[in-house]
């Protein structure tokens, strides 16, 4: 009881001083409008030959974590296991490059929805927040009206749909409605929607909610292409758009001033072969003035105070150790594990 | 620790040190938990090496009183919150990849089936089913595993097989209302499961034995198993108050003979790609044990560095030699890289078989019926009673009448049977058999099943892979601890089990999981499209063709022949043929003909009348 109260008071007082970063007024602190960052990263493909989709989503996961979004704020949905797949010659690794430079799976990964749990229903429920009461916190998108949410989807898609695990599809209308539900429930401040599939532009064409910035790896009628094959694995390891996007993101540090406008220009036609499409009409701010870390990172502006703050001791002594367990008069016994006569 | 300080420069510092020491002992008094980290290394004669990490936290509070779970120190708060919220008394979770080969490797310290296995004893309360459903959801978030699929379709209440492993009253353990057991044979275990498991450790994964856990090497092993076991234990020898024990185990089996020289050489560097550079200061016991029983006999090997001392472990008929290392003694000047160097290449020989082991497999062919056979081997010279538990999913409809237990062709009658048939889409088949295993023999349990049709929405996305059946569990009590490495029930640490004076050893074995194909519809798109298109074409085209090519002509109903007239015309044709016909028939026909003519005349007249009226 004591620790959370003390922590709360400290945070409250520290928060009041945080305006120092930009100016002297709370309005200036809220310049970007968001106070926390969330990411929902979805890979919808199953089977070994879709290795590149898992590598895609893990690349973005790695960038988000590196730039500061903690695991508790990332919902990672991976439809199949590539790292510990029996066909993987290098277990517990997923590389996005045949030269095996970066292990995007890493040593500290938490997948929230894995395998058969990655379904259209679960994805929509995560976005809209309509989950059964027993769902744990790590599987919930607990965003509020000041959250910037990054939504990344990859897999096989077509004109107006995205295929989930070869068994079902999500249509662009459903996705647009899900975002509208989020808007009406005030579950986001701004959304950056990134999608790397074939004919990806079709997925964001039906959006009608405000504050959504979207980028897709290909226009309607075009296929998104994969980058290269790793001969030791025998499958394509990464898609072109995500490969070049990751290359760009690797140059970004948490304090970087790179803008979303620069990110939207990543992967021109000669690199991606497909045309990168974007949608900025629903987004209120000028993309050339929005920081990349507004969506990919979780930058907290911290001010170190030179003076000390005296906090009240609000400890409530609720429990005394003596009453923890009343000693029994008879000695306790271990249960008999084999209840049959030997 | 403060006492390690060699220099005491002045009075002021001495006073501070004294104050720190007093403070330290005072805090020890407040914090009533202790933590130990141990590593047990055992080489096998098949060339493999087992590394068993055990991290034990014992907290002197009772799990029966959830309000005492406050002021967390070494016990992880995330797990403690889950245990108290869902009224858990005992929890055993294992996440395993690979199959433990009992014939080659003996018995592991913690036996686990491939995939995930979870069994929980709850505090007595009503609505255990709902609590179980909520608990598996909470654990799925905590361990990043799909434990939420452990719903009623795969959950059973074992009656005799999974009794509490800790303190419990007789009345409570005999009541299987509060236990739930479920497995997920398909579940994959990867770094995403190791990460949250490591985060439960007090020292994390940066220092101590947990720093050896390199996921890239562990998941490259032959077999790996993560375990989390929570139970009530005695606080002291008098056992008047219970304590809560959390045991986190990780068992990895490697095959070092695949290196260049073919010898069974192993070391921390070659197995984990790391050396041990630190020890966890929060741990009371920090030790490494290596089983050196076969060190002097073939295959000979030497350990480097030299162990602190060698223990003789005596466990009722089995003597083993254990080399013990106190980690703190070996960390300076450089890190500890425990090495074993063998003199010769590995020679493959038949290792001695364990007392009891089992194999299970599917029999039959086709997609309609099948059978399951389980062979349990008893290599001891004494009989033993065994409890055999099976959980079969509802879509493999088991014929209870086909269940047979045979030993050398003779049928054995089980002492007890607990068979609960399945309910479609609700409960699985649950079977527990208690029977006698005769000495030096093989007992075969067989039963047959029929495969059901599932609804098309119930197939997983990769339906042609097949469906898994959980491992069977064989429980027995061994009179000798032959190749037995588990800790005894009344102690927590591995080293406390080395001097074990018990004469009976509880053994739990898991068999293989089974992969069964069900009749699966063809979900492939082109085939369905072709069928549908062809059907539409056939119906549409056929009807159109009929409509466009058939010529419709009006027919006169009066000229329509009745049945009698048809017969008449048929016989008329016959008459013209040279065949014989009876005279009577010829006579009949003219009379029939007259009758018909009169009938048709009447009809005609009626019609004429009708016509004239209109």
């Amino acid at each position: 009881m004591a620790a959370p109260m003390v922590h709360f008071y400290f945070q409250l007082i520290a928060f009041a001083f945080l305006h120092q970063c930009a100016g002297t007024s709370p309005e200036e602190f809220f310049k970007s409008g968001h106070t926390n960052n969330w990411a929902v990263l979805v890979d919808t493909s199953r089977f070994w030959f879709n290795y590149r989709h898992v590598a895609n989503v893990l690349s973005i996961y790695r960038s988000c974590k590196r730039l500061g979004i903690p695991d508790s704020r990332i919902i990672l949905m991976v439809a199949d296991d590539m790292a510990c797949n029996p066909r993987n010659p290098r277990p517990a690794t997923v590389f996005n490059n045949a030269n095996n430079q970066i292990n995007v799976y890493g040593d500290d990964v938490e997948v929230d929805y894995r395998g058969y749990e990655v379904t259209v229903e679960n994805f929509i429920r995560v976005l809209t927040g309509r989950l059964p009461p027993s769902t744990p916190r790590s599987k919930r998108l607990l965003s509020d009206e000041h959250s910037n949410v990054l939504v990344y989807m990859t897999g096989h898609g077509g004109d107006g749909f995205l295929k989930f695990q070869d068994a079902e599809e999500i249509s662009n209308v459903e996705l647009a409605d899900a975002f509208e539900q989020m808007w009406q429930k005030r579950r986001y401040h701004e959304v950056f929607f990134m999608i790397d599939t074939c004919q990806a532009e079709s997925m964001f064409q039906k959006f009608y909610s405000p504050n959504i910035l979207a980028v897709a790896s290909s226009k309607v009628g075009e296929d998104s292409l994969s980058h290269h094959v790793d001969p030791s694995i025998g499958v394509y390891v990464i898609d072109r758009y995500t490969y070049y996007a990751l290359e760009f993101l690797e140059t970004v540090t948490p304090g970087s001033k790179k803008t979303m406008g620069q990110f939207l220009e990543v992967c021109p036609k000669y690199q991606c072969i497909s045309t990168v499409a974007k949608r900025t009409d629903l987004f209120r701010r000028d993309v050339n003035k929005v920081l990349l870390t507004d969506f990919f990172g979780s930058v907290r502006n911290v001010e170190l105070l030179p003076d000390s703050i005296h906090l009240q001791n609000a400890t409530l002594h609720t429990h005394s150790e003596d009453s923890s367990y009343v000693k029994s008069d008879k000695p306790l016994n271990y249960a008999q594990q084999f209840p049959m006569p030997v | 620790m403060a006492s390690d300080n060699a220099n005491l420069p002045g009075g002021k510092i001495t006073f501070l040190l004294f104050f720190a020491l007093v403070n330290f002992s005072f805090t020890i008094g407040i914090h009533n938990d202790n933590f130990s980290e141990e590593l047990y290394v055992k080489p096998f004669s098949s060339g493999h090496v087992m590394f068993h990490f055990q991290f034990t936290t014992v907290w002197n509070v009772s799990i029966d009183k959830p309000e005492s779970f406050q002021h967390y120190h070494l016990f992880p708060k995330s797990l403690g919150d889950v245990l108290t919220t869902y009224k858990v008394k005992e929890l055993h979770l294992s996440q395993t990849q690979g199959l433990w080969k009992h014939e080659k490797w003996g018995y592991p310290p913690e036996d686990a089936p491939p995939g995930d296995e979870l069994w929980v004893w709850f505090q007595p309360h009503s609505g255990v089913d709902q609590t179980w459903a909520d608990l598996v959801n909470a654990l799925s978030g905590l361990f990043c595993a799909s434990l939420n699929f452990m719903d009623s379709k795969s959950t059973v209440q074992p009656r005799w097989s999974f009794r509490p492993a800790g303190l419990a009253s007789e009345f409570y353990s005999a009541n299987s209302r509060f236990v739930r057991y479920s497995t997920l044979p398909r579940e994959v275990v990867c770094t995403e499961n190791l990460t949250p498991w490591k985060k439960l450790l007090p020292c994390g994964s940066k220092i101590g034995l947990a720093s050896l856990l390199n996921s890239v090497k562990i998941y490259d092993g032959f077999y790996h198993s993560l375990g989390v076991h929570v139970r009530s234990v005695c606080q002291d020898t008098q056992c008047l108050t219970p304590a809560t024990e959390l045991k986190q185990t990780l068992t990895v089996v490697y095959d070092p003979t695949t290196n260049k020289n073919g010898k069974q050489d192993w070391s921390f560097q070659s197995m984990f790609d790391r050396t041990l550079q630190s020890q966890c200061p929060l741990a009371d016991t920090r030790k490494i044990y290596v089983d050196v029983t076969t060190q002097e006999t073939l295959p000979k090997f030497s350990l480097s560095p030299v162990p602190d001392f060698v223990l003789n472990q005596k466990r009722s008929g089995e003597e083993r030699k254990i080399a013990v290392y106190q980690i703190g003694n070996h960390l300076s000047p450089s890190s500890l890289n425990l090495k074993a160097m063998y003199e010769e290449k590995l020679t493959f020989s038949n290792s001695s078989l364990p007392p009891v082991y089992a194999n299970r497999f599917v029999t039959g062919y086709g997609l309609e019926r099948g059978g399951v056979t389980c062979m349990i081997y008893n290599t001891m010279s004494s009989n033993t009673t065994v409890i055999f538990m099976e959980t079969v999913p509802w879509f493999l409809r088991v014929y209870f009448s086909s269940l047979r237990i045979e030993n050398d062709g003779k049928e054995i009658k089980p002492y007890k049977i607990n068979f609960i048939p399945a309910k479609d889409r609700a409960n699985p088949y649950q079977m527990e058999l208690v029977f006698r295993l005769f000495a030096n023999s093989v007992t075969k349990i067989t039963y047959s099943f029929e495969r059901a049709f599932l609804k098309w929405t119930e197939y997983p996305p990769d339906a042609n892979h097949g469906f898994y059946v959980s491992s069977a569990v064989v429980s027995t009590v061994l009179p000798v601890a032959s190749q037995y490495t588990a800790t005894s029930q009344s102690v927590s640490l591995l080293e406390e089990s080395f001097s074990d004076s018990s004469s009976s050893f509880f053994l739990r074995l898991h068999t293989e999981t089974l992969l069964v194909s069900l009749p699966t519809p063809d979900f492939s798109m082109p085939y369905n499209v072709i069928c549908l298109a062809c059907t539409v074409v056939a119906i549409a085209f056929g009807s159109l063709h009929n409509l466009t090519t058939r010529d419709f002509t009006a027919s006169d109903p009066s000229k329509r022949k009745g049945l009698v007239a048809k017969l008449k015309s048929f016989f008329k044709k016959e008459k013209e043929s040279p065949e014989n016909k009876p005279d009577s028939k010829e006579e009949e026909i003219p009379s029939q003909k007259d009758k018909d003519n009169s009938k048709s005349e009447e009809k005609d007249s009626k019609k004429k009348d009708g016509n004239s009226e209109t």
Side-chain angles (χ1 to χ4, degrees):
Chain A
M1 272 300 282
M5 291 288 277
V6 161
H7 192 59
F8 173 72
Y9 284 134
F10 176 76
Q11 277 216 322
L12 201 57
I13 294 165
F15 177 78
F17 283 93
L18 280 175
H19 67 266
Q20 296 276 342
C21 62
T24 48
S25 55
E27 293 82 25
E28 290 212 29
F29 173 72
F30 284 109
K31 226 183 217 176
S32 62
H34 78 283
T35 59
N36 56 79
N37 285 78
W38 285 82
V40 178
L41 310 172
V42 183
D43 153 58
T44 59
S45 298
R46 177 165 276 277
F47 304 122
W48 178 246
F49 52 82
N50 291 320
Y51 182 99
R52 61 190 185 280
H53 296 140
V54 175
N56 285 351
V57 77
L58 289 174
S59 307
I60 303 293
Y61 173 74
R62 174 200 153 74
S63 302
C64 288
K65 271 188 88 161
R66 206 174 47 80
L67 294 173
I69 307 185
D71 268 317
S72 54
R73 296 277 167 94
I74 301 179
I75 307 237
L76 179 61
M77 301 173 88
V78 179
D80 201 3
D81 167 60
M82 299 301 164
C84 288
N85 196 305
R87 291 164 95 160
N88 191 348
R90 290 173 286 271
T93 61
V94 173
F95 293 106
N96 67 337
N97 196 315
N99 299 332
N100 300 337
Q101 288 156 347
I102 317 171
N103 173 13
V104 289
Y105 192 57
D107 216 10
D108 184 22
V109 55
E110 285 183 20
V111 178
D112 301 303
Y113 287 85
R114 67 202 302 233
Y116 297 135
E117 291 177 279
V118 178
T119 58
V120 174
E121 186 190 341
N122 281 348
F123 175 63
I124 304 261
R125 281 187 186 276
V126 163
L127 284 185
T128 54
R130 291 154 68 170
L131 290 159
S134 53
T135 316
R137 285 179 72 96
S138 60
K139 286 180 161 179
R140 286 178 188 261
L141 181 64
L142 299 164
S143 54
D144 53 26
E145 67 266 23
H146 296 302
S147 309
N148 275 10
V149 184
L150 165 72
V151 179
Y152 176 81
M153 300 183 78
T154 182
H156 287 289
D159 190 1
F161 69 91
L162 172 61
K163 194 166 72 152
F164 267 69
Q165 290 203 55
D166 244 356
E168 47 182 4
E169 296 150 4
I170 184 171
S171 66
N172 49 3
V173 176
E174 276 175 0
L175 191 57
D177 286 342
F179 279 120
E180 178 63 14
Q181 279 194 52
M182 281 178 82
W183 175 251
Q184 297 211 358
K185 288 167 87 164
R186 299 287 179 263
R187 282 170 66 78
Y188 71 86
H189 170 69
E190 281 168 349
V191 162
F192 178 53
F193 180 74
M194 206 170 141
I195 180 160
D196 190 351
T197 67
C198 299
Q199 308 197 48
E201 190 197 17
S202 61
M203 287 310 285
F204 64 63
Q205 279 175 334
K206 296 274 191 299
F207 287 172
Y208 55 96
S209 319
N211 287 356
I212 302 183
L213 178 63
V215 68
S217 59
S218 57
K219 280 190 170 323
V220 173
E222 285 179 354
D223 285 341
S224 285
L225 301 170
S226 33
H227 195 257
H228 64 275
V229 173
D230 183 351
S232 64
I233 293 180
V235 287
Y236 284 94
V237 289
I238 189 99
D239 278 336
R240 280 180 182 264
Y241 179 67
T242 310
Y243 181 78
Y244 291 109
L246 184 68
E247 213 177 60
F248 181 82
L249 287 170
E250 284 293 299
T251 61
V252 176
T253 56
S256 164
K257 296 289 170 209
K258 293 210 167 132
T259 62
M260 286 306 291
Q262 289 172 309
F263 184 72
L264 293 177
E265 299 307 318
V266 153
C267 209
K269 197 161 168 93
Y270 72 89
Q271 276 180 330
C272 257
I273 302 177
S274 56
T275 322
V276 171
K278 55 185 190 253
R279 186 156 179 193
T280 51
D281 58 313
L282 294 166
F283 197 63
R284 284 184 205 161
R285 298 192 279 156
D286 179 10
V287 288
N288 295 314
K289 297 204 180 125
V290 177
L291 287 179
L292 190 68
T293 49
D294 272 2
F295 291 104
F296 280 92
S298 187
V299 181
R300 311 291 183 87
N301 292 307
V302 176
E303 170 84 4
L304 292 173
L305 303 169
D307 10 284
S308 57
I309 304 166
H310 291 285
L311 297 162
Q312 281 180 337
N313 186 358
T315 312
L316 294 165
H317 193 65
T318 51
H319 154 75
S320 71
E321 276 184 46
D322 294 340
S323 65
S324 62
Y325 194 86
V326 177
K327 282 193 180 179
S328 73
D329 43 352
K330 283 181 298 186
L332 301 162
N333 288 319
Y334 284 99
Q336 196 192 17
Q337 291 202 284
F338 195 75
M340 298 291 149
V342 178
Chain B
M1 287 179 55
S3 50
D4 283 346
N5 250 337
N7 298 327
L8 297 166
K12 197 175 179 184
I13 295 182
T14 322
F15 171 74
L16 280 170
L17 279 171
F18 173 72
F19 183 68
L21 261 173
V22 166
N23 237 349
F24 185 68
S25 51
F26 183 57
T27 49
I28 285 283
I30 287 184
H31 299 299
N32 47 6
D33 47 11
N34 59 73
F35 174 67
S36 318
E37 50 177 24
E38 297 165 296
L39 167 61
Y40 180 45
V41 186
K42 184 170 177 186
F44 297 116
S45 57
S46 61
H48 299 92
V49 181
M50 170 185 84
F51 291 85
H52 177 78
F53 293 83
Q54 182 168 312
F55 302 94
T56 323
T57 309
V58 180
W59 192 16
N60 289 336
V61 291
S62 166
I63 203 169
D64 300 325
K65 298 269 174 189
E67 57 270 12
S68 59
F69 269 55
Q70 292 181 12
H71 307 300
Y72 289 89
H73 178 228
L74 297 173
F75 197 91
K77 184 170 195 293
S78 49
L79 186 60
D81 275 349
V82 168
L83 296 174
T84 48
T85 314
Y86 299 105
K87 304 189 185 76
V88 169
K89 191 170 162 68
E90 266 193 35
L91 182 134
H92 300 270
L93 171 67
S94 70
Q95 298 175 290
T96 313
Q97 188 103 17
L99 185 68
W100 181 271
K101 300 187 196 317
H102 294 97
E103 302 93 4
K104 289 192 201 166
W105 304 337
Y107 300 119
E110 297 281 345
D111 200 283
D116 283 6
E117 182 193 54
L118 175 67
W119 56 282
V120 178
W121 277 88
F122 289 95
Q123 307 283 1
H125 68 280
S126 60
V128 178
D129 285 326
Q130 183 58 42
T131 320
W132 165 256
D134 294 339
L135 172 69
V136 293
N137 272 302
L139 289 175
S140 85
L142 189 57
F143 292 105
C144 290
S146 312
L147 297 175
N148 47 328
F149 286 127
M150 287 180 172
D151 54 6
S152 66
K153 288 199 277 276
S154 60
T155 309
V156 294
Q157 298 176 30
R159 207 159 138 192
W160 302 308
S161 294
F162 285 91
R163 288 291 162 95
L167 297 173
S169 68
E170 277 267 347
F171 173 70
Y172 174 78
S173 342
N175 198 343
S176 62
R177 262 195 303 147
F178 304 119
V179 64
R180 294 291 184 276
Y181 171 86
S182 185
T183 64
L184 289 174
R186 181 84 199 268
E187 194 69 10
V188 172
V189 184
C190 207
T191 314
E192 65 226 39
N193 303 111
L194 184 64
T195 309
W197 184 92
K198 281 200 276 194
K199 288 183 180 166
L200 296 177
L201 296 171
C203 276
S205 56
K206 298 282 190 286
I207 51 172
L209 275 176
S211 61
L212 283 177
L213 302 179
N214 184 359
S215 58
V216 175
K217 292 302 248 178
I218 288 178
Y219 293 107
D220 205 6
F222 243 71
Y223 168 93
H224 54 86
S225 173
L226 284 172
V228 176
H229 302 274
V230 180
R231 62 178 188 142
S232 294
V233 292
C234 294
Q235 260 187 41
D236 46 32
T237 45
Q238 287 176 313
C239 210
L240 294 170
T241 45
T244 306
E245 175 199 87
L246 166 66
K247 197 160 59 166
Q248 285 179 255
T249 59
L250 170 57
T251 312
V252 199
V253 174
Y254 290 110
D255 186 6
T257 56
T258 52
N259 59 15
K260 286 176 206 154
N261 53 15
K263 294 185 195 167
Q264 204 181 347
D265 289 349
W266 56 265
S267 68
F268 282 170
Q269 186 63 42
S270 63
M271 296 290 110
F272 298 107
D273 212 20
R274 290 176 187 174
T275 55
L276 190 57
Q277 294 178 336
S278 56
Q279 49 177 348
C280 178
L282 299 169
D284 291 345
T285 312
R286 295 158 265 188
K287 289 189 179 149
I288 299 177
Y289 318 106
V290 184
D291 189 317
V292 293
T293 315
T294 55
Q295 196 173 26
E296 298 308 315
T297 60
L298 279 173
K300 279 194 185 175
F301 67 94
S302 60
L303 285 174
S304 136
V306 176
D308 293 340
F309 56 92
V310 178
L311 272 195
N312 284 325
Q313 178 195 27
K314 281 197 189 113
R315 252 176 146 177
S316 171
E318 175 97 339
E319 272 204 36
R320 303 204 76 86
K321 283 200 194 139
I322 313 279
V324 182
Y325 291 81
Q326 185 80 31
I327 298 178
N329 297 343
H330 299 274
L331 289 176
S332 55
S334 65
S335 51
L336 171 60
N337 180 18
L338 188 56
K339 249 192 278 201
M341 283 156 304
Y342 282 74
E343 290 174 14
E344 284 155 20
K345 266 190 175 184
L346 177 76
T347 49
F348 294 94
S349 58
N350 279 331
S351 47
S352 58
L353 292 171
V356 175
Y357 63 99
N359 274 324
R360 193 176 69 141
F361 43 90
V362 181
T363 57
Y365 59 89
L367 289 175
E368 196 187 344
R369 294 193 186 90
V372 174
T373 302
C374 184
M375 320 271 269
I376 308 184
Y377 300 82
N378 182 359
T379 59
M380 297 187 289
S381 51
S382 58
N383 300 340
T384 183
T385 310
V386 79
I387 306 177
F388 177 78
M389 180 173 125
E390 275 240 34
T391 309
V392 182
W394 64 266
F395 44 80
L396 298 177
R397 304 191 201 275
V398 172
Y399 292 114
F400 182 63
S401 54
S402 65
L403 177 67
R404 265 178 71 82
I405 309 175
E406 277 175 4
N407 185 321
D408 203 20
K410 283 176 295 185
E411 191 171 341
I412 298 182
K413 274 203 74 154
Y415 295 143
K416 292 197 185 193
I417 302 180
N418 178 30
F419 181 82
I420 301 180
K423 220 168 166 186
D424 273 11
R425 301 175 182 87
N427 301 316
Y429 286 92
Q430 182 185 346
M431 179 158 60
E432 273 179 279
L433 308 169
V434 183
F435 54 90
R436 196 83 171 145
L437 274 185
F438 293 119
N440 286 319
S441 65
V442 180
T443 310
K444 189 162 83 155
I445 305 166
T446 50
Y447 59 89
S448 46
F449 60 82
E450 192 183 67
R451 298 166 212 233
F453 276 106
L454 295 183
K455 295 183 182 167
W456 73 281
T457 48
E458 289 171 345
Y459 288 94
D462 51 351
N464 288 301
H465 183 92
F467 291 80
Y468 282 84
V469 179
S470 336
S471 302
V473 184
V474 177
S475 317
T476 185
V477 174
L478 297 177
V480 285
S482 169
Q483 305 188 47
Y484 188 79
T485 51
T487 51
S488 36
Q489 195 181 17
S490 50
V491 297
S492 304
L493 302 177
L494 287 167
E495 67 170 348
E496 291 167 336
S497 306
F498 290 149
S499 49
D500 190 3
S501 55
S502 44
S503 56
S504 62
F505 303 93
F506 175 72
L507 173 70
R508 185 179 286 136
L509 285 183
H510 293 90
T511 63
E512 296 90 336
T513 50
L514 304 174
L515 181 58
V516 170
S517 300
L518 285 184
T520 309
D522 191 344
F523 289 108
S524 60
M525 188 199 66
Y527 176 77
N528 290 348
V529 165
I530 291 168
C531 282
L532 194 67
C534 290
T535 313
V536 167
V537 164
I539 293 174
F541 178 71
S543 316
L544 274 175
H545 184 266
N546 280 342
L547 279 171
T548 51
T549 56
R550 280 198 192 154
D551 189 21
F552 288 95
T553 53
S555 65
D556 191 352
S558 59
K559 286 196 184 155
R560 203 189 337 161
K561 289 181 179 170
L563 183 62
V564 177
K566 280 191 189 159
L567 270 174
K568 221 174 31 177
S569 57
F570 172 74
F571 281 123
K572 241 187 182 169
K573 284 180 198 164
E574 293 260 352
K575 213 174 159 184
E576 284 162 11
S577 69
E579 283 176 10
N580 287 338
K581 283 268 174 182
D583 286 344
S584 54
K585 257 204 174 155
E586 274 188 26
E587 284 171 7
E588 270 178 5
I589 286 165
S591 58
Q592 290 268 1
K593 204 176 175 181
D594 284 339
K595 276 187 188 168
D596 272 352
N597 276 337
S598 59
K599 271 189 191 164
S600 61
E601 278 169 6
E602 281 173 19
K603 275 187 189 169
D604 279 340
S605 59
K606 275 184 185 169
K607 250 212 164 146
K608 279 179 188 162
D609 290 338
N611 279 342
S612 60
E613 280 174 13
T614 52

